[in-house]
Amino acid sequence: SPYVRLAALRALFMLGRKETKAAIEQAALSQDLFAINILADVPGSEDILYELTHQSNPLIKINAALALLHLGDSRCITPLCDLLIRDSRDLAFVPHQSLGKSLTCWKIIPSASVNLKD
C-alpha cells in the first residue's frame, strides 16, 4: 500500500535514516498529497515544496504552501493568499486522513457556503 510505504518512510526518516528523504520527495513530485504534507517535517525540502506551489492543481498548491509555512519559508505567502483570500470560488479547507489515520493532507471544498450549509 502506498500509505503504508509513506508512513514507513516518514518513520525511518524521523529515526535518522536520512536516505529516505529522496523517496519521500519523489512521491511528493508525483503529486502525492500525503507525501507533500510529510515534507513539512523534512528540513531542506523547501525548494521542492516551492516548485509544487506553482502547480495548477489547487490541492497540490495548498498542501505545498502549508508545508512551506510549517518550515517557516516566506515563499508560502503568495500561494496562501491566492487560495485563502475570499473570492467567488468560496473555498473551504478540511483535513483528510489516510485509511489508517497515520497520514494527513488538506482537501478543498468549492462553493463552501452551499456545500457545507447543513
Side-chain angles (χ1 to χ4, degrees):
S1 165
Y3 300 133
V4 173
R5 181 177 183 274
L6 274 175
L9 288 169
R10 179 179 66 182
L12 287 169
F13 182 83
M14 297 185 109
L15 289 170
R17 300 283 303 269
K18 302 305 181 199
E19 67 272 12
T20 61
K21 177 182 175 184
I24 298 169
E25 289 175 341
Q26 187 59 43
L29 288 170
S30 299
Q31 302 183 349
D32 184 304
L33 298 178
F34 295 116
I36 293 169
N37 195 41
I38 289 171
L39 289 180
D41 295 321
V42 179
S45 61
E46 293 88 350
D47 289 338
I48 289 174
L49 290 168
Y50 179 67
E51 178 183 328
L52 290 169
T53 64
H54 291 90
Q55 295 289 319
S56 60
N57 183 334
L59 289 172
I60 295 168
K61 185 183 283 193
I62 191 67
N63 281 282
L66 289 171
L68 276 176
L69 178 65
H70 184 79
L71 289 168
D73 191 311
S74 63
R75 294 180 288 180
C76 70
I77 294 171
T78 301
L80 285 176
C81 287
D82 179 43
L83 292 168
L84 296 179
I85 292 178
R86 189 169 197 171
D87 61 13
S88 62
R89 296 176 292 179
D90 190 26
L91 302 176
F93 303 90
V94 294
H96 175 72
Q97 294 183 322
S98 63
L99 294 175
K101 300 194 186 299
S102 64
L103 303 172
T104 304
C105 67
W106 289 89
K107 292 287 186 166
I108 296 175
I109 298 175
S111 303
S113 58
V114 174
N115 289 321
L116 298 176
K117 68 180 178 181
D118 295 333

